Amino acid sequence: RKEVEQDPGPFNVPEGATVAFNCTYSNSASQSFFWYRQDCRKEPKLLMSVYSSGNEDGRFTAQLNRASQYISLLIRDSKLSDSATYLCVVTPHGSSNTGKLIFGQGTTLQVKP
Amino acid sequence: EPEVTQTPSHQVTQMGQEVILRCVPISNHLYFYWYRQILGQKVEFLVSFYNNEISEKSEIFDDQFSVERPDGSNFTLKIRSTKLEDSAMYFCASPRTSGGRQQETQYFGPGTRLLVL
């Protein structure tokens, strides 16, 4: 089983739509959770951290369900500029953990006019 | 946002040649990371570097790879004898804070695109 699993998409949505991405992780002891955004041929950039209580940043809402080992990202009122690949990222747990990030393969979003 | 820089942006090399990829991480940070991304695939951890020595490495990071901090600011990834399958984007990363390790997000450099022919 992959450490971090995402539906690769692509998700093709019209401007203004609401779209949700899901991610599952295999290690129940994973410690920290993030959503990154990656534009074509660019570096990953942090979109937001994900907390158990859920958190919101403008049009973006992230949720974590530790019991189900499931992370979600909701984007409301999609903009053309939201077109990118969204990466689900976790950090492993343990004393030997050096803070490395474990990435999912990403979900591609294409927002159409 | 703090900046991580990498050089060169692109490198083309012949199979079997040595390449050195350079990174200038966020200053005064103790932890540094290298990742790679083969075209169309996910970002993969290669190695973490703390206080001038390797703290963790992945299965990918075999004897052909090495990392160094030749001076106080630069951080290099060397591939001794490149293979075709080393063609990828290589990213350097620094944690958000100077003491950051676990639970920290990371800032990524723009990457070096390596093509091995």
Side-chain angles (χ1 to χ4, degrees):
Chain A
R1 183 182 172 187
K2 293 179 184 176
E3 288 186 277
V4 180
E5 202 146 3
Q6 297 180 250
D7 178 351
F11 284 56
N12 294 300
V13 303
E15 266 187 297
T18 295
V19 61
F21 304 138
N22 303 319
C23 167
T24 57
Y25 58 96
S26 60
N27 186 344
S28 61
S30 294
Q31 195 162 37
S32 302
F33 309 89
F34 309 97
W35 283 101
Y36 275 72
R37 170 193 169 128
Q38 186 174 31
D39 293 292
C40 188
R41 296 178 176 264
K42 299 288 188 181
E43 73 273 25
K45 291 187 176 181
L46 177 70
L47 182 65
M48 57 198 304
S49 301
V50 189
Y51 305 113
S52 297
S53 55
N55 49 300
E56 189 174 306
D57 182 2
R59 298 181 293 108
F60 299 85
T61 301
Q63 299 225 312
L64 166 65
N65 185 324
R66 284 189 182 269
S68 303
Q69 294 174 217
Y70 172 94
I71 306 162
S72 66
L73 176 68
L74 183 77
I75 305 176
R76 290 181 299 278
D77 188 24
S78 300
K79 311 289 184 194
L80 295 176
S81 56
D82 293 335
S83 297
T85 297
Y86 290 84
L87 309 175
C88 179
V89 181
V90 306
T91 64
H93 177 74
S95 58
S96 61
N97 173 28
T98 60
K100 69 181 180 187
L101 301 179
I102 300 172
F103 285 79
Q105 66 184 106
T107 299
T108 299
L109 172 65
Q110 189 67 242
V111 181
K112 306 284 189 183
Chain B
E1 186 175 294
E3 192 174 66
V4 178
T5 59
Q6 290 186 245
T7 55
S9 59
H10 295 78
Q11 175 127 17
V12 181
T13 190
Q14 295 290 323
M15 191 169 59
Q17 295 296 304
E18 175 182 283
V19 294
I20 298 176
L21 311 181
R22 293 181 171 79
C23 168
V24 180
I26 299 170
S27 61
N28 302 319
H29 282 203
L30 298 178
Y31 276 93
F32 313 109
Y33 304 85
W34 283 100
Y35 296 83
R36 81 168 185 192
Q37 186 175 31
I38 294 171
L39 187 63
Q41 298 187 23
K42 66 178 183 179
V43 177
E44 300 173 290
F45 167 77
L46 287 177
V47 64
S48 61
F49 195 77
Y50 171 69
N51 207 21
N52 295 323
E53 61 182 36
I54 291 174
S55 53
E56 185 178 2
K57 58 184 181 180
S58 70
E59 294 175 350
I60 304 168
F61 196 88
D62 61 23
D63 293 343
Q64 294 300 313
F65 290 87
S66 62
V67 288
E68 283 184 358
R69 196 175 184 193
D71 56 43
S73 59
N74 290 297
F75 180 41
T76 63
L77 175 68
K78 183 190 292 185
I79 309 175
R80 290 189 186 84
S81 178
T82 51
K83 303 186 284 286
L84 297 176
E85 54 265 38
D86 293 328
S87 295
M89 193 76 153
Y90 289 82
F91 296 108
C92 170
S94 281
R96 186 171 61 87
T97 62
S98 61
R101 189 185 67 176
Q102 299 182 23
Q103 301 181 326
E104 286 285 354
T105 188
Q106 294 171 17
Y107 293 111
F108 284 74
T112 294
R113 185 168 297 282
L114 176 66
L115 178 60
V116 182
L117 301 175

